[in-house]
Amino acid sequence: MPIQATDKIWMDGELVAWDEARVHVLTHTLHYGSGVFEGIRAYPTKNGPAVFRLTDHIKRLHDSADLFLMDMPYSVDELVEATRETVRVNNVESCYIRPIAYLGYGEMGLNPLPCEVKVSIAVWPWGSYLGDEGVRNGVRMKVSSWRRIDPNVNPVAAKGTGIYVNSQLAKVEALKAGYDEAILLNTHGFVAECTGENLFVVKNGVMITPPLSSGALEGITRASVITIARDLGVEVREDNLLRSDLYLADEAFLTGTAAEIVPMRSVDDREIGDPGEITRKIQETYFAVVHGEEDRYKDWLDYVNA
Ligand code: PPE
């Protein structure tokens, strides 16, 4: 999905013009995948743009940095404020927000410790990651032949840039085979997650999602959906899933900031069918929440003009 340029990008404490937001070709992270990043969304509300769970995302960025022993030069509060400012100055009603902390130019080699940590935050309007049609009617999934990175190979709790090579292999494999998105199993053969989303199945009225020990990222959408579902009176369990649990699901959907809530129509050509009742209810409530229409979850919204 093409990036739509906006006005300014926050780089190391300054707002610079979009076209000037450049890095050197010998930037450490370009060579070794040594960055950490976040994906956040701001939505239009009746009180102007609101960022969904901003502080939680920035805390996760800090946690990701800690996992790689990267010293973040800005506090959580500073980055929360910088994000709000970047959304505000770009005059966007709704946008995707991409903060990244990376190791800059000046050192090369596999010892990252001497490298300077740089941080930038860009925002741009970004439609539904798997398409509006996918959000409405569901997507076709393929279980990947690539396994999710084992947590003892890479700390998968971190949103580390290098970790996403694994996701890209799975994504390309699925697309070339004619599917929309991939599901990755972990080294034990249990379902972990999708390339950039967590997943849920519904069986006999119960929502089940793989535990974090499966190697799935602790998704903020996942956590939000678990809270919303329980508040709606739907039972939610974290449990290991086999690929056959996907095939035999009554309903299934994936969750992520970029993708939002997307029903699965089929997995490996086993039909799940039209989005089910629980999926629809979760989708509907989630979209109401992010647009500030559900008072109960108002603490999840950070109004940039407040
Ligand atoms: N798993 C992975 C591997 C992942 O990258 C994401 C977010 C999630 C689960 C869901 O997490 P959360 O957004 O907190 O609910 N993926 C981000 C990047 C996607 C991309 O394609 O780039 C995102 O959704 O912004």
Side-chain angles (χ1 to χ4, degrees):
M1 275 208 301
I3 295 176
Q4 188 184 323
T6 55
D7 216 17
K8 303 270 192 217
I9 293 181
W10 189 93
M11 281 186 99
D12 307 306
E14 277 172 56
L15 287 163
V16 304
W18 179 277
D19 288 335
E20 303 301 321
R22 299 202 184 100
V23 292
H24 196 278
V25 72
L26 293 179
T27 295
H28 190 277
T29 293
L30 180 62
H31 295 254
Y32 302 123
S34 52
V36 295
F37 70 103
E38 268 303 317
I40 315 174
R41 272 188 192 273
Y43 289 91
T45 75
K46 62 179 187 325
N47 299 315
V51 184
F52 187 63
R53 301 192 73 166
L54 174 57
T55 303
D56 294 326
H57 278 282
I58 299 294
K59 279 187 181 154
R60 190 172 64 186
L61 183 69
H62 262 253
D63 287 348
S64 294
D66 286 348
L67 286 167
F68 289 108
L69 296 170
M70 275 172 99
D71 274 333
M72 283 291 271
Y74 302 98
S75 68
V76 170
D77 286 350
E78 284 169 331
L79 292 177
V80 164
E81 200 36 56
T83 305
R84 290 161 50 94
E85 186 186 9
T86 312
V87 175
R88 217 164 30 230
V89 300
N90 283 296
N91 273 317
V92 278
E93 269 296 290
S94 69
C95 60
Y96 186 73
I97 302 165
R98 172 55 60 85
I100 182 169
Y102 59 98
L103 304 181
Y105 167 84
E107 292 277 344
M108 203 45 94
L110 291 174
N111 174 13
L113 298 175
C115 297
E116 194 185 358
V117 178
K118 316 281 274 178
V119 183
S120 76
I121 306 166
V123 311
W124 66 91
W126 218 26
S128 182
Y129 194 50
L130 296 171
D132 292 337
E133 165 64 19
V135 173
R136 251 191 319 272
N137 294 319
V139 291
R140 297 179 62 241
M141 308 292 292
K142 178 184 182 350
V143 174
S144 185
S145 71
W146 296 98
R147 292 295 166 108
R148 188 81 188 120
I149 287 181
D150 188 273
N152 290 307
V153 172
N154 244 318
V156 288
K159 275 184 78 75
T161 58
I163 293 177
Y164 282 80
V165 172
N166 177 236
S167 292
Q168 291 172 72
L169 286 166
K171 183 81 183 185
V172 168
E173 179 186 66
L175 292 178
K176 285 195 176 286
Y179 297 85
D180 301 308
E181 174 58 336
I183 297 170
L184 290 105
L185 309 180
N186 61 26
T187 44
H188 304 288
F190 295 113
V191 175
E193 58 178 340
C194 310
T195 63
E197 305 89 10
N198 294 108
L199 68 81
F200 288 81
V201 301
V202 181
K203 190 73 184 176
N204 301 324
V206 179
M207 276 169 49
I208 308 162
T209 191
L212 300 181
S213 58
S214 71
L217 184 74
E218 188 169 7
I220 290 168
T221 321
R222 173 186 184 274
S224 307
V225 159
I226 291 174
T227 302
I228 290 169
R230 288 185 175 147
D231 288 348
L232 288 168
V234 179
E235 187 187 338
V236 186
R237 284 209 299 261
E238 292 183 80
D239 216 341
N240 278 320
L241 295 170
L242 296 167
R243 65 195 292 173
S244 49
D245 294 320
L246 303 169
Y247 299 164
L248 297 177
D250 297 331
E251 303 179 31
F253 59 90
L254 51 85
T255 66
T257 300
E260 303 174 303
I261 316 278
V262 180
M264 300 184 194
R265 278 205 81 79
S266 64
V267 179
D268 292 341
D269 303 309
R270 275 75 169 182
E271 286 301 313
I272 296 173
D274 287 334
E277 202 183 319
I278 291 181
T279 305
R280 280 283 179 242
K281 191 70 202 159
I282 296 288
Q283 256 188 334
E284 198 182 295
T285 313
Y286 181 79
F287 284 114
V289 169
V290 297
H291 288 95
E293 291 155 15
E294 293 275 349
D295 252 13
R296 179 171 197 167
Y297 308 102
K298 60 178 186 311
D299 292 350
W300 286 349
L301 297 184
D302 198 315
Y303 293 92
V304 303
N305 296 321

